[in-house]
Amino acid sequence: MQNVYEFIAIGAGPANLSLGAQAVERGYQPGKDFIILEKDAEISWHPGMLLPGSRLDTHFAKDLVTLVNPMSRFTFLNFLVKHKRLEDFLNCGHSTPYRRDFDEYLRWVANAIGNGIQTDTCVSEIERDESGLYLVRYLTSDGSYKEVLARDIVLGVGGRPKYPLGLSGDDARIIHSADFLTKIAKLEDFTEDNSILVVGAGQSAAELVKYLINTTKNNIDVAISDFGFGIKEGTAFMNESYNGEFIDRFFDMPSETRKWFVNQRKNMNYGVVDETIINGLYNDYYYDKHFERRSVSFLQFCRAAKIETRKNQPINVHFFNHELGRNFENQYDYVVLATGYEFSEPSRLLRNVYTNLTFEGDSLRIERDYSIHDEHGFSSGRVYMNGNVSKSHGPAQDVLSVIAHRSRDILHSIMSDVKVEPRETVKTFG
């Protein structure tokens, strides 16, 4: 008789690793009670952006489990203890880990989950059978298809690199931040005297420019539609909207208030940079400008309107300068895109589960327990969204801050087979 998993999670990013870790601590046996299916060959967290010396902009305690169970064996602090680097980390004087710290931490958690994670698996479809179970069909690394059954499904597939202006990652000269280190490692001449355009004005763009200044001899242009890099909003009062208790408060807001609040918080997540990164980058820029005599230019008020790639020809970029109201063109050897990620609704995977998905505006209707709203009233079994729920559950859902809370709520719903009842709203300052 085929094993029926309590749940199958699709995607082994931080969100579903948090879910897996919490499930283990609640007595679930990985590989028997649940599995996590990951399309990549290994667990890795933004490998293209593991730049030397780069840090998260999130406190180390906002890891996979600490905020819901600080005594857990899966905390970041316990990872540091097990790797004999706790005191060294504390001596650094930073509350934010290096990106490489966090990447190694995720791998450590994944190793602890063990055979509960299956890599090199590409999920092709999900169906619901007559008994209310979900059948998940996926392609394995040897080219064969496998089918597994589960009572519940958790989707945590993350986003895809966003390529603007019809570009793609097929051209080795067009480098998205998601693949930055991976791609340039294959380019023999990348560190030499090339001309490079960086498109973007957020945290990733600033970190990439800093890396290019410090480790290459390239001439660098940075296309910024504003006057310069904007500072990330992060006052202690505003950060309370990233507390776990705020989720209920946001969920209970009227739809229009939610939209307004998410829009107001854009300068906490998108197109903005941590102040320390900006200050460090400007110092690097100053030194390079006055002592290295290399061209590093910030193209202020400029938007890349068209990018033309032709084989064995320089990349031709058409710009529009908002300040002067005119167009101009430049040519480059490489274009680096720090243009973020895009999240699509999981309609393809769910086409055989729901005949009609319910939308609120341009987003799926999501219940408080993160399950997809069900028009048919299924008596058992749900599909949960472990990510891409910022419009229904708050802007903190786009970052690491509340993944421990979200995974806890999803697991609670799976275990109880009832929707999570909203906790009493906790009102804070204001």
Side-chain angles (χ1 to χ4, degrees):
M1 182 177 178
Q2 185 176 359
N3 179 53
V4 177
Y5 296 103
E6 292 299 319
F7 69 87
I8 293 175
I10 300 172
N16 277 344
L17 288 178
S18 172
L19 177 67
Q22 294 188 50
V24 168
E25 295 202 312
R26 296 299 294 270
Y28 283 75
Q29 298 182 53
K32 180 181 178 182
D33 297 324
F34 74 90
I35 54 172
I36 302 174
L37 302 176
E38 168 57 41
K39 64 179 177 60
D40 291 332
E42 61 179 4
I43 305 302
S44 186
W45 185 72
H46 297 304
M49 284 296 292
L50 296 178
L51 304 173
S54 62
R55 292 181 177 274
L56 296 185
D57 55 0
T58 305
H59 195 285
F60 69 81
K62 294 185 176 182
D63 57 20
L64 304 185
V65 294
T66 295
L67 293 182
V68 298
N69 182 14
M71 300 297 290
S72 168
R73 68 184 175 98
F74 292 108
T75 65
F76 179 74
L77 280 180
N78 193 40
F79 159 78
L80 294 176
V81 170
K82 295 297 184 182
H83 287 75
K84 303 185 186 304
R85 66 173 83 161
L86 174 60
E87 290 180 317
D88 289 346
F89 176 84
L90 296 175
N91 287 337
C92 287
H94 288 272
S95 62
T96 55
Y98 285 110
R99 286 180 182 267
R100 292 190 61 178
D101 273 326
F102 197 74
D103 179 63
E104 289 184 14
Y105 164 60
L106 295 183
R107 293 171 186 263
W108 176 73
V109 172
N111 286 335
I113 296 173
N115 63 2
I117 300 177
Q118 297 183 20
T119 57
D120 250 344
T121 60
C122 181
V123 176
S124 59
E125 58 183 328
I126 303 171
E127 296 179 355
R128 189 177 175 93
D129 67 14
E130 301 80 8
S131 63
L133 297 175
Y134 293 100
L135 183 147
V136 179
R137 185 175 292 110
Y138 61 91
L139 182 68
T140 63
S141 57
D142 63 6
S144 62
Y145 277 94
K146 188 173 181 180
E147 295 180 347
V148 287
L149 293 171
R151 304 184 196 284
D152 292 290
I153 301 295
V154 183
L155 300 179
V157 295
R160 299 189 306 271
K162 184 188 295 183
Y163 285 91
L165 304 176
L167 299 171
S168 74
D170 296 334
D171 192 322
R173 300 172 300 164
I174 304 296
I175 307 172
H176 194 279
S177 61
D179 307 309
F180 181 76
L181 289 180
T182 307
K183 269 196 169 183
I184 67 169
K186 301 175 183 178
L187 302 171
E188 295 181 0
D189 68 336
F190 187 80
T191 60
E192 304 304 321
D193 188 21
N194 293 297
S195 58
I196 297 182
L197 172 68
V198 178
V199 179
Q203 183 91 359
S204 295
E207 290 184 0
L208 288 168
V209 175
K210 183 177 176 65
Y211 175 88
L212 291 169
I213 290 176
N214 291 335
T215 62
T216 76
K217 298 179 181 178
N218 296 313
N219 298 308
I220 306 161
D221 281 357
V222 187
I224 301 180
S225 58
D226 203 340
F227 183 75
F229 287 111
I231 191 170
K232 179 175 293 186
E233 177 185 284
T235 70
F237 292 112
M238 286 299 183
N239 282 341
E240 283 200 355
S241 66
Y242 281 45
N243 291 357
E245 291 85 355
F246 187 76
I247 298 170
D248 284 313
R249 187 173 176 181
F250 182 88
F251 190 82
D252 291 336
M253 289 178 180
S255 177
E256 288 304 312
T257 306
R258 285 189 202 170
K259 292 178 183 177
W260 170 84
F261 190 87
V262 170
N263 187 63
Q264 288 290 103
R265 300 283 77 74
K266 283 185 176 180
N267 61 346
M268 292 180 76
N269 291 337
Y270 307 110
V272 286
V273 186
D274 185 82
E275 184 176 7
T276 57
I277 298 292
I278 292 177
N279 292 338
L281 174 59
Y282 192 87
N283 277 269
D284 293 339
Y285 164 66
Y286 169 88
Y287 187 90
D288 202 81
K289 177 180 179 180
H290 295 288
F291 302 112
E292 297 296 331
R293 307 302 182 195
R294 174 194 27 190
S295 174
V296 178
S297 300
F298 293 89
L299 308 180
Q300 299 168 321
F301 302 117
C302 290
R303 173 176 58 87
K306 184 178 181 181
I307 298 178
E308 299 173 311
T309 59
R310 290 169 293 182
K311 191 173 182 179
N312 300 322
Q313 297 290 325
I315 301 170
N316 197 47
V317 181
H318 300 252
F319 294 94
F320 178 71
N321 185 308
H322 294 274
E323 180 182 18
L324 303 178
R326 65 177 181 85
N327 299 301
F328 67 98
E329 297 179 24
N330 281 344
Q331 292 185 329
Y332 300 94
D333 298 305
Y334 295 98
V335 172
V336 176
L337 301 173
T339 47
Y341 297 81
E342 56 188 357
F343 297 86
S344 60
E345 303 295 352
S347 303
R348 179 186 65 82
L349 285 179
L350 301 178
R351 65 183 182 273
N352 295 325
V353 176
Y354 302 95
T355 55
N356 289 298
L357 290 169
T358 305
F359 286 79
E360 291 183 341
D362 59 351
S363 299
L364 280 176
R365 181 177 172 186
I366 307 296
E367 306 289 0
R368 172 60 186 87
D369 65 354
Y370 300 97
S371 63
I372 295 175
H373 177 72
D374 170 24
E375 288 287 344
H376 300 285
F378 293 148
S379 59
S380 63
R382 296 178 180 83
V383 178
Y384 297 89
M385 295 287 290
N386 201 356
N388 193 19
V389 289
S390 62
K391 293 180 181 179
S392 59
H393 288 69
Q397 301 291 332
D398 288 333
V399 294
L400 295 172
S401 297
V402 298
I403 60 171
H405 295 87
R406 185 171 67 233
S407 294
R408 176 201 59 191
D409 290 351
I410 291 173
L411 184 61
H412 181 272
S413 183
I414 290 172
M415 294 178 72
S416 64
D417 201 31
V418 295
K419 289 180 171 59
V420 175
E421 292 297 328
R423 298 177 298 280
E424 181 180 354
T425 301
V426 178
K427 293 186 178 180
T428 56
F429 179 83

